[in-house]
Amino acid sequence: MRMMKRTTLSTIALAASVAVVLTGCGNDTSSTNNAGGSNSAVDSGTPVDGGTLTMADTTKWEDMFIPYLNNASPTFAMWELSFEPLMSYDKSLNIKPNLAQSWSYSNGNKTLDIKLDPNAKWSDGKPITSDDVLLFMNFIGSKVYNTTDQGEYGYLVQPVVGSEKIASGAAQSFANTGGFKKISNTEFQINFSKADAAVLAADVSSYIPLPAHVLGKIPFSQWMNSDFNKKPTVVSSAYIPTQVNGQSSVEYDENDNYFKGKPHISHIVLKYVSEDVLPSLIENGQVDMNIEGNNLDTDSFLKMEKDPNLKTIAQPAMSYGFVGMKVNEPKFQNVQLRQAMEYAIDKQAIIQGVYKGLGKPAYGPIPYFDWAAATSADGMNTYAYNPTKAKQLLEQAGYTIPSGQKWRIDPKTGKPLVFHLVYSSGSPEVQAICTAVAQNLQAVGLNVQLETPLDFNVMLKKIETNDSSLDMFFLANGIGTDPDPRGSWMSTDPGNLDSWKDPKNDALIDDTFGAKAFNQTYRKQAFVKWQLYVNQQVPMLFLYDRDDTWAYSAKVHIPADSWIPGGYTNIQDWWISQ
Amino acid sequence: MGTYILRRLLGMIPMLFAITVFVFLMMHAAPGNAIESMLNPRIKDMAALQAQLIHQNGLDKPLPVQYVDWLGNFIRGDWGYSFAQGVPVRQLVLPALGNTLILAALAEVFILLIGVPLGIWQARRPYSLFDTSTSIVNIILFSIPYYIIAIFLIYFLAIKLHVFPSQNAVGTGPQAGSIVDHLYHALLPALSIALASSAVYSRYTRGSMLDVSRRDFTRTARAKGLTEGVVFRKHVFRNGMIPIVTQLGFDIGSLAGGAVILEGLFAYQGMGYITLQAATQRDYNVIMATSLIIAIGVLLGNLIADILYAVVDPRIRYQ
């Protein structure tokens, strides 16, 4: 079920103080429980069929079921229960077969041959075929999707031959552009304009076959307002929506024809609830669990860990927090300064103080759980908190403190250095993190001034326009299911907010998706080399890889292998004690 | 009266025009927009996509042209597209408006049913134990922000006692979306608004009734030998309701805009939440639509108040 998520730059979700008020009102019997630990979920026993699972989403979705038609992430949670991607992922984000049973490259890695699971069926019993994949590709690449519908996911088919013609409306089907070739009902080929090792996991894995025998009869221009979009009658995943109650809730029934087996849980209710009330609703049993992407506030989570009626689990999130720097500015160009800053920040204390230990210090652009992550064994410097070392580096580089002064000077200009750190308004957690970062850097003599928090859009505009009122900024960076750094790390990438322009970095990234990178071992090494370079250059201050948190009713049984970074999978294997 | 109402309705047009121009300029004066805020690093050429979307939505045109385009489309029923939510604005706003109107209507009913009778009762027995004790309760309720009242109502009535639903504008099951279901889900948020507001109404009513009951014409009515009930119904009540009608007019307008914090707490899909969300995301089309609707609500609220003046006070006649 789990598939590609939007990778975004964002601030941390607001942690409303009223949540504390509500959870503070809960009953106190939890103190007798010893479940404890950040992963208290232990599931055993024989699965039984039946029951209703009520899941809560704290962000409002749009009731649009056609995958990717709505760009908002909360909407994904709604249709992910009903539509299945070609491939899925394991705990290390390695790609796994799903609807696609196997695949292989040919034609100099420019052709991908995919075989579908012959047992895969739509909920109406009809087989899922190559035509269903083609329909998805034609829609997601179409002019209607990319203009009228203002879809954001047209990039999924951009590497395919003929995507420009499809996008402009000059062609209607990849089957006519040479981008798609149907071999049989369960086998097809996708032809790419050039060989790119990232395309499989970053793009193709997220293709979601759409029922050609139902939607194929409706023009793309009518999909947005179609009945199918409001409540699909045919689905490929575990649950069929039976009732859509506006944006308040969606009710689902099990899909008897699900190719991974009939789900144990008969019904699912997905409800939109207030994040302030969610902890109380879970404690009270009115909601069974929070869905992925809807973290519980840390205090509530820690309290729920002790509740005998609940199970809790913390899983690594698909994002990391960092302090960006305008590294193209003269004041940041000395690498020793940037390294000293990384040493000066007590990341563990920040994680402990703000997230109560639910996370790990970060020191590179690929999180520790990813198959491509480089570790200290590979030569990564963890930049463990060491203010003495930070001061030494600064002194060596000439960032001295003049006698009788408090702050260090710029060795190039001889003038006092001042750094302006900004962050977006609305989150006490972000404020606490930035305050700690500023204090840590001030403690080694760097005059970091914490500026008034800004509206997120305003801050972003200031970063993008290289506004002189800021030098450093706090953001959280979402990661994709493929570690492909393009989009945020190449010199010309719009997501490269640090404006780090480094030809060597670009060359190292090129090597992660070039011809040799189709060999997974080679690709891993290419990623390691890139991470070592980033780790040494410190173009941003990596702070933490935090955890996402879930709490769910003790009557719900979720096998351990269902949990993956950022979420869960295999919902058909879950069951509820009667 | 008909001419008066028509004149007032026509008079709303320039006011609405001025409001939309003001909101339009204010929103565009703030840095950034929803399209420029798209930051999905997986999109290979984000700059090109942003440029395409900006052009497609006419955001690269001069501001006056953008405004005229928006106004023309709006009048024709095309409210545009929400950049941030990825749906047509009508699809986003109309269900929220419906929910808000239900909540506002129910809240007003509660306010009037609690506040006005209480104020009358207090005024008829001023400085009695009942008057003093209910006045103290009123002041306490008025002093507590409505969202704090909401938290307690959720905790006791929804979470502990399971009497009312605490979340959403509609429930689940076969009855979901029915008017009964809507009202049932609006009960707690409406009560949260009403408890604090009814305190205001009861104070206004009490003060106004006491004031009118001491006027010369009331004394004259009593001197003529009319019963206390007739004096109250024909003289005190109708004259005493004038300030209440004024307040009601204001309330109708303000409730049309939704209640941001309350909607958040109750996960109630109303106008307040989408307006706040759109403002933070610079979602221009949504902001323009909600601003216009809220402005219409405020102006209509004032009009209703003026009409009700004539109903409660026969001396008032509009030409």
Side-chain angles (χ1 to χ4, degrees):
Chain A
M1 188 182 72
R2 171 88 192 167
M3 63 194 71
M4 182 214 68
K5 286 290 189 188
R6 279 182 85 181
T7 53
T8 54
L9 285 160
S10 64
T11 52
I12 295 168
L14 305 187
S17 56
V18 277
V20 179
V21 176
L22 269 179
T23 55
C25 295
N27 69 52
D28 248 359
T29 56
S30 58
S31 59
T32 58
N33 180 39
N34 293 317
S38 60
N39 289 281
S40 70
V42 177
D43 277 297
S44 57
T46 306
V48 293
D49 291 347
T52 299
L53 177 70
T54 302
M55 306 171 88
D57 188 341
T58 59
T59 317
K60 199 158 66 73
W61 61 76
E62 298 304 326
D63 45 349
M64 296 166 71
F65 275 91
I66 293 178
Y68 305 123
L69 191 48
N70 181 258
N71 301 326
S73 299
T75 307
F76 279 44
M78 193 186 67
W79 56 255
E80 274 181 345
L81 288 165
S82 298
F83 291 97
E84 201 78 18
L86 287 182
M87 294 150 203
S88 60
Y89 300 87
D90 64 14
K91 287 177 187 292
S92 301
L93 303 185
N94 288 297
I95 203 164
K96 284 199 322 182
N98 199 47
L99 283 176
Q101 194 175 53
S102 62
W103 52 86
S104 60
Y105 278 104
S106 60
N107 184 30
N109 294 322
K110 287 166 69 174
T111 296
L112 182 63
D113 190 294
I114 294 179
K115 291 189 173 79
L116 295 173
D117 186 328
N119 297 317
K121 289 185 175 67
W122 293 105
S123 55
D124 61 2
K126 292 196 165 55
I128 295 175
T129 69
S130 305
D131 295 329
D132 300 325
V133 180
L134 176 62
L135 180 65
F136 168 80
M137 292 174 63
N138 289 341
F139 173 63
I140 214 81
S142 69
K143 186 176 181 181
V144 167
Y145 175 79
N146 290 285
T147 57
T148 312
D149 295 339
Q150 307 205 2
E152 282 185 24
Y153 293 88
Y155 72 87
L156 291 173
V157 292
Q158 267 181 2
V160 181
V161 171
S163 60
E164 302 84 2
K165 288 182 181 172
I166 299 288
S168 68
Q172 305 303 315
S173 173
F174 280 103
N176 300 328
T177 65
F180 183 93
K181 183 179 179 186
K182 179 178 175 180
I183 308 296
S184 70
N185 271 345
T186 56
E187 185 177 357
F188 59 90
Q189 289 178 337
I190 301 174
N191 294 308
F192 302 108
S193 306
K194 60 179 182 179
D196 187 324
V199 166
L200 179 67
D203 299 330
V204 178
S205 65
S206 302
Y207 287 12
I208 297 174
L210 296 172
H213 63 289
V214 179
L215 277 174
K217 300 166 189 164
I218 306 172
F220 291 157
S221 59
Q222 294 176 21
W223 281 23
M224 174 76 84
N225 296 314
S226 66
D227 291 340
F228 189 94
N229 193 30
K230 299 298 168 199
K231 195 177 84 174
T233 48
V234 175
V235 303
S236 57
S237 196
Y239 287 92
I240 310 168
T242 53
Q243 190 161 326
V244 180
N245 305 309
Q247 293 167 332
S248 293
S249 61
V250 183
E251 298 170 60
Y252 302 83
D253 277 353
E254 63 200 328
N255 173 8
D256 293 343
N257 287 316
Y258 185 43
F259 80 111
K260 291 181 184 172
K262 183 183 170 187
H264 292 303
I265 297 173
S266 300
H267 310 285
I268 285 183
V269 177
L270 177 62
K271 291 178 82 170
Y272 164 57
V273 305
S274 160
E275 64 180 332
D276 304 321
V277 183
L278 174 64
S280 293
L281 294 176
I282 294 176
E283 286 176 333
N284 188 253
Q286 293 182 37
V287 163
D288 292 317
M289 71 181 292
N290 53 316
I291 67 158
E292 57 192 22
N294 287 252
N295 271 323
L296 298 160
D297 68 276
T298 309
D299 290 331
S300 297
F301 178 77
L302 295 176
K303 179 168 172 279
M304 288 167 152
E305 278 190 325
K306 297 171 186 163
D307 190 328
N309 298 315
L310 298 176
K311 298 171 189 171
T312 56
I313 189 162
Q315 285 284 300
M318 298 284 279
S319 67
Y320 59 85
F322 68 95
V323 170
M325 300 175 283
K326 287 158 64 173
V327 286
N328 58 333
E329 294 290 308
K331 68 169 74 169
F332 283 109
Q333 286 191 348
N334 190 316
V335 69
Q336 283 180 300
L337 168 71
R338 305 198 297 264
Q339 289 172 340
M341 286 178 157
E342 194 79 304
Y343 275 119
I345 298 171
D346 191 350
K347 301 169 189 174
Q348 192 61 55
I350 290 174
I351 294 165
Q352 196 60 44
V354 178
Y355 296 118
K356 307 291 191 284
L358 294 169
K360 290 181 189 299
Y363 46 85
I366 299 181
Y368 65 91
F369 53 83
D370 195 298
W371 64 267
T375 65
S376 50
D378 295 311
M380 292 286 277
N381 185 346
T382 61
Y383 292 99
Y385 177 53
N386 191 341
T388 309
K389 174 99 174 172
K391 287 176 186 171
Q392 283 172 0
L393 282 171
L394 290 168
E395 293 292 333
Q396 283 170 17
Y399 293 91
T400 55
I401 303 176
S403 177
Q405 300 290 310
K406 187 178 178 185
W407 306 116
R408 294 181 186 276
I409 57 163
D410 187 332
K412 282 185 182 170
T413 64
K415 292 179 180 173
L417 264 178
V418 181
F419 302 96
H420 301 276
L421 170 60
V422 298
Y423 58 100
S424 64
S425 54
S427 167
E429 291 173 342
V430 170
Q431 185 166 14
I433 291 165
C434 291
T435 303
V437 167
Q439 287 173 350
N440 282 166
L441 294 174
Q442 287 165 0
V444 297
L446 294 171
N447 186 5
V448 175
Q449 295 182 357
L450 205 54
E451 300 299 320
T452 307
L454 298 172
D455 167 85
F456 180 71
N457 289 283
V458 174
M459 182 176 84
L460 206 55
K461 193 76 178 172
K462 282 177 178 275
I463 296 169
E464 287 172 345
T465 55
N466 207 20
D467 191 289
S468 60
S469 65
L470 64 88
D471 304 301
M472 305 167 78
F473 49 89
F474 174 85
L475 282 172
N477 196 3
I479 61 159
T481 39
D482 185 86
D484 185 5
R486 285 172 290 176
S488 296
W489 286 96
M490 298 285 272
S491 296
T492 55
D493 283 343
N496 181 0
L497 296 179
D498 288 20
S499 302
W500 186 38
K501 301 184 193 310
D502 185 326
K504 184 176 179 185
N505 174 58
D506 291 350
L508 287 168
I509 291 174
D510 281 342
D511 208 27
T512 65
F513 59 85
K516 292 179 184 172
F518 282 85
N519 177 311
Q520 185 80 340
T521 308
Y522 181 91
R523 194 169 187 226
K524 166 78 187 272
Q525 284 312 307
F527 276 120
V528 168
K529 285 179 190 169
W530 172 62
Q531 289 168 86
L532 288 172
Y533 187 64
V534 172
N535 180 250
Q536 189 269 331
Q537 288 293 311
V538 196
M540 62 172 62
L541 304 176
F542 298 98
L543 295 182
Y544 57 79
D545 298 320
R546 65 165 297 192
D547 289 342
D548 282 338
T549 52
W550 285 267
Y552 56 101
S553 165
K555 70 180 183 183
V556 180
H557 301 267
I558 302 176
D561 62 3
S562 287
W563 293 103
I564 55 175
Y568 41 72
T569 185
N570 294 330
I571 199 167
Q572 76 281 354
D573 294 335
W574 302 9
W575 55 283
I576 295 175
S577 303
Q578 298 303 306
Chain B
M1 178 64 95
T3 311
Y4 172 77
I5 292 172
L6 185 64
R7 212 169 56 217
R8 282 288 301 270
L9 287 172
L10 290 173
M12 283 168 59
I13 293 172
M15 290 180 75
L16 290 173
F17 176 75
I19 289 167
T20 56
V21 169
F22 180 73
V23 173
F24 187 83
L25 292 176
M26 288 293 286
M27 285 315 302
H28 283 78
N33 63 45
I35 293 171
E36 289 175 349
S37 303
M38 286 165 56
L39 273 174
N40 185 343
R42 307 308 312 174
I43 296 173
K44 302 291 189 296
D45 197 345
M46 175 59 81
L49 178 62
Q50 286 174 334
Q52 175 196 317
L53 290 174
I54 285 171
H55 178 69
Q56 196 173 305
N57 288 284
L59 296 177
D60 51 355
K61 293 180 182 173
L63 279 186
V65 178
Q66 285 188 47
Y67 177 79
V68 171
D69 284 351
W70 171 81
L71 191 61
N73 291 334
F74 193 91
I75 291 168
R76 284 193 295 272
D78 176 5
W79 294 11
Y81 205 87
S82 161
F83 311 134
Q85 304 303 316
V87 289
V89 172
R90 282 168 65 103
Q91 190 175 319
L92 196 65
V93 171
L94 291 182
L97 178 61
N99 291 337
T100 289
L101 290 178
I102 289 171
L103 174 58
L106 195 60
E108 278 304 331
V109 168
F110 281 147
I111 290 168
L112 294 174
L113 285 181
I114 299 170
V116 175
L118 185 62
I120 292 171
W121 199 254
Q122 289 171 329
R124 298 195 74 170
R125 289 164 181 75
Y127 313 112
S128 64
L129 178 62
F130 175 80
D131 180 29
T132 309
S133 57
T134 51
S135 293
I136 290 170
V137 172
N138 271 346
I139 289 166
I140 291 171
L141 286 175
F142 184 60
S143 306
I144 302 172
Y146 66 85
Y147 50 87
I148 300 294
I149 294 175
I151 288 172
F152 282 101
L153 289 179
I154 289 172
Y155 182 67
F156 287 110
L157 296 182
I159 290 174
K160 279 292 172 195
L161 299 176
H162 295 239
V163 180
F164 296 111
S166 70
Q167 302 286 284
N168 302 134
V170 293
T172 57
Q175 294 301 315
S178 66
I179 186 66
V180 174
D181 185 48
H182 269 290
L183 290 171
Y184 184 46
H185 280 77
L187 265 171
L188 271 194
L191 205 55
S192 306
I193 295 171
L195 283 178
S197 293
S198 61
V200 179
Y201 274 69
S202 73
R203 300 307 292 168
Y204 277 142
T205 307
R206 180 185 180 277
S208 179
M209 295 288 168
L210 280 176
D211 180 48
V212 175
S213 65
R214 289 165 186 158
R215 294 275 182 87
D216 291 345
F217 63 82
T218 312
R219 273 201 292 274
T220 305
R222 287 197 182 102
K224 278 166 38 181
L226 295 176
T227 63
E228 194 58 35
V230 173
V231 170
F232 177 78
R233 276 199 313 276
K234 291 199 168 178
H235 299 280
V236 179
F237 179 73
R238 293 187 77 161
N239 284 291
M241 288 310 290
I242 291 174
I244 306 303
V245 167
T246 309
Q247 184 64 30
L248 183 66
F250 285 132
D251 276 4
I252 290 170
S254 61
L255 286 174
V260 174
I261 300 174
L262 207 67
E263 287 177 14
L265 278 173
F266 286 98
Y268 193 90
Q269 296 88 349
M271 290 286 284
Y273 182 85
I274 62 167
T275 304
L276 177 70
Q277 196 179 28
T280 55
Q281 293 170 330
R282 308 283 187 275
D283 204 349
Y284 298 137
N285 288 336
V286 178
I287 295 168
M288 292 305 293
T290 55
S291 302
L292 192 59
I293 288 169
I294 292 167
I296 290 171
V298 171
L299 295 175
L300 281 180
N302 285 330
L303 179 60
I304 290 168
D306 286 347
I307 294 167
L308 287 176
Y309 283 146
V311 175
V312 296
D313 187 349
R315 292 169 302 177
I316 299 172
R317 287 288 178 269
Y318 298 109
Q319 298 303 313

